[in-house]
């Protein structure tokens, strides 16, 4: 997978996680852990989750 695709996929995952937090299906702390894990695993070069 190219770097650009990894970053684009990560943006979509972050959007999904933010929506899950908004509707109460996931805590912000859980979402941050998931985002962090995936960014390291996939070699993401951008950081979106504050």
């Amino acid at each position: 997978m190219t770097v650009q695709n990894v970053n684009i996929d990560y943006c979509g995952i972050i959007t999904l996680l933010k929506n899950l937090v908004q509707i109460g299906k996931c805590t912000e702390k859980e979402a941050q852990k998931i985002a962090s894990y995936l960014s390291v695993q996939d070699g993401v070069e951008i950081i979106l989750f504050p």
Side-chain angles (χ1 to χ4, degrees):
M1 188 178 304
T2 66
V3 172
Q4 183 179 8
N5 287 339
V6 169
N7 289 330
I8 292 170
D9 290 345
Y10 185 71
C11 289
I13 291 168
I14 294 302
T15 301
L16 172 65
L17 289 171
K18 286 182 178 184
N19 287 333
L20 289 172
V21 169
Q22 281 184 338
I23 63 173
K25 297 294 182 182
C26 181
T27 67
E28 188 169 340
K29 187 174 181 177
E30 290 171 329
Q32 288 176 344
K33 284 183 181 180
I34 293 166
S36 176
Y37 173 79
L38 291 175
S39 69
V40 171
Q41 180 181 350
D42 293 341
V44 172
E45 294 182 347
I46 57 174
I47 306 273
L48 297 175
F49 223 105

